[in-house]
Amino acid sequence: GTVALEETDPLTLSAWILTQQHKSAGARGRLTVLLNAIGVGCKFVSSAVRRAGLAGMMGMAGSSNVQGEDQKKLDLVANEVFKNSLRRSGQCCILITEEEDEPIFIEEPHRGDYIVVFDPLDGSSNIDCGVSVGTIFGIYKAKNPGSGNYSLEDVMRPGTEMVAAGYCMYGSMSYMMITTGKGVAGFTLDPTLGEFVITHPSVQVPPRGAIYSINEGNAVNWDEATKKYVEECKAGTFNNGKPYSLRYVGSMVADVHRTLLYGGIFMYPADKKSPKGKLRVLYECFPMAMLMEQAGGKSTTGTASSLGMVPDSIHARAPIYLGSREEVERIEQLKKECGCA
Ligand code: P6P
């Protein structure tokens, strides 16, 4: 999408969020306040990421997170920015972040009725070499809004109960894709305005796409269904014999963003090395699965809908195959035929 320079009615993220609120009868604007707080966090991180190379913000922070992954300085900055912006919004009761072992319970007077799960800077292992990274988030509404009692029962829920999800990719420009359950809209940050302006009013992922995205370095560990599916991609079995292209950035937000816009399939299977897969259910699989399905695509663990899972811990992992509907349905069919888990 493009925004003409003589545009006189730029639909900003804030204005778009309001249109979504008006579509929800009885909405009191609290999700609107929350989504805007997330937008502010994304603008701040976008600026920090772009200045990182100049501001000595590259490199390691000298600590590691719950995943045992070395934390980058920018990981920690992004995490603090979102925690503060979300707390200040006054709309959250629980925060779950990839960068912290434990849930964060928000106390009065800042407490609200939403749970936000987020990965403040996904793909940050790539950041020192300039590859796109991103923020991923998902939002649940507390089971007993206004009750004042919130617990992990408000978090350990299927992805189908999320009320909103999205990501912001810090790439050649900063792109934000967001859904509140009524389709997917895409925005581009106009740095001269400091506003996300709509560039993709209604994202529809193509039903089939000749691009497959997987870490071929793990091929020896794949199950039979994944091996067979990748062979079909290479043979162009469903593409008149024309082989698919392989595109793998190694940054989930970048690989999913391309899949949303161009079609195809992104895969992070479980394998012998990662028996539960690598990507985390709450703040990677669920938000990306919700976006993909809201855009007409599909997301599966291989044998069940991604969004139907119930995580057994806040940092639980799961296998994921997501993208164009027909591609995902093919891998599901192969999983059934080979009886793979
Ligand atoms: P691999 C980045 O570290 C990340 O969490 C995702 O953004 C990305 O899709 C995946 O891991 C890449 O993992 O094992 O292929 O390097």
Side-chain angles (χ1 to χ4, degrees), residues 122-123 125 215 218 248 250-252 266 268 278-280 284:
D122 184 77
S125 56
N215 184 339
N218 297 329
Y248 192 73
S251 182
M252 186 186 199
F266 169 75
Y268 208 107
K278 173 180 184 181
L279 299 176
R280 274 71 56 147
E284 288 175 322

Side-chain angles (χ1 to χ4, degrees), residues 221-229 269-271 300-304 319 321 330-341:
N221 300 323
W222 295 340
D223 67 14
E224 283 314 305
T226 305
K227 283 179 181 166
K228 177 113 181 62
Y229 177 75
D271 60 29
T300 182
T301 63
T303 53
Y321 302 77
R330 179 60 182 158
I331 190 77
E332 287 180 316
Q333 187 183 352
L334 289 167
K335 286 272 185 179
K336 283 197 188 85
E337 287 171 9
C338 84
C340 303

Side-chain angles (χ1 to χ4, degrees), residues 89-213:
S89 77
Q91 303 308 321
C92 300
C93 50
I94 304 175
L95 306 182
I96 305 285
T97 163
E98 192 222 20
E99 295 300 336
E100 306 205 13
D101 308 17
E102 300 303 323
I104 299 160
F105 288 86
I106 306 291
E107 298 306 327
E108 291 299 7
H110 293 98
R111 191 169 66 195
D113 289 328
Y114 290 97
I115 294 92
V116 181
V117 298
F118 63 102
D119 185 349
L121 205 58
D122 184 77
S124 56
S125 56
N126 297 301
I127 201 154
D128 290 357
C129 62
V131 167
S132 300
V133 293
T135 299
I136 311 171
F137 66 90
I139 302 173
Y140 290 107
K141 186 162 187 175
K143 288 184 169 178
N144 304 299
S147 66
N149 63 334
Y150 309 100
S151 74
L152 275 187
E153 283 177 31
D154 288 299
V155 180
M156 313 308 260
R157 298 155 73 176
T160 48
E161 293 182 14
M162 281 193 172
V163 294
Y167 62 77
C168 187
M169 182 176 83
Y170 312 110
S172 53
M173 297 188 78
S174 292
Y175 301 95
M176 189 162 191
M177 290 284 174
I178 187 168
T179 180
T180 59
K182 305 174 197 73
V184 175
F187 300 83
T188 302
L189 182 60
D190 178 336
T192 64
L193 283 180
E195 288 284 1
F196 282 101
V197 181
I198 201 156
T199 44
H200 302 75
S202 172
V203 179
Q204 297 293 325
V205 60
R208 183 176 282 286
I211 300 172
Y212 75 102
S213 185

